[in-house]
Amino acid sequence: MRRTVLFIAMSLDGYIADQAGGVGWLEGQDHTAETADFYGSFVRDVDTVVMGWNTYHQIVTQLSPSNWVYSNLKSYVITHRPLSSLDGIFFVNTEPDQLIKQLRQEPGKDIWICGGAKTVQPLLARDWIDRFHISIIPTLLGTGIRLFEMLERERKLKLASVQESNGIVELIYERRA
């Protein structure tokens, strides 16, 4: 069965976006320094990306409006909007846990949960995130969109790896059995 992997960045105080939904703060401590490419090594084991509408909309309108940055991945966008699928981008009106249940049964590499919080929460509730790649950005936002909300029960994790580059710390955790 395919693994479900959360690969995401958050502020030191646990936010994935500021109050207005912005991510302009996603950078290391020195904007002139080079930062390691955590994404490049991560994406080699992935062939599918899942995201909510807000994440998709931010990518195509702000972060990369001229080209789809995940063209080499099968992309699923969870939305209630009646949109026709594009080349490699599938707009689905389903709950995140139902989509992941289906995708995990199909052959392929890991499934990347790209964002946002509304997509992550139902998967956490079902304990369907197998691996967590969390990049901690050296910023305290104080308010915004939290990555983790309340859970009905705790989840035990095992630290698999820690990397640091330009003040960004990437923590990789796996579920404990």
Side-chain angles (χ1 to χ4, degrees), residues 101-128:
K101 182 178 181 181
Q102 171 196 329
L103 293 176
R104 286 171 68 121
Q105 301 302 319
E106 296 174 1
K109 294 181 176 181
D110 290 346
I111 303 162
W112 169 22
I113 307 304
C114 179
K118 290 179 184 176
T119 302
V120 172
Q121 269 319 115
L123 300 176
L124 283 172
R126 296 275 246 170
D127 203 19
W128 281 1

Side-chain angles (χ1 to χ4, degrees), residues 79-97:
T79 181
H80 298 294
R81 292 166 177 81
L83 299 171
S84 298
S85 295
L86 306 169
D87 186 33
I89 304 172
F90 303 93
F91 298 98
V92 295
N93 183 1
T94 186
E95 295 301 316
D97 55 338

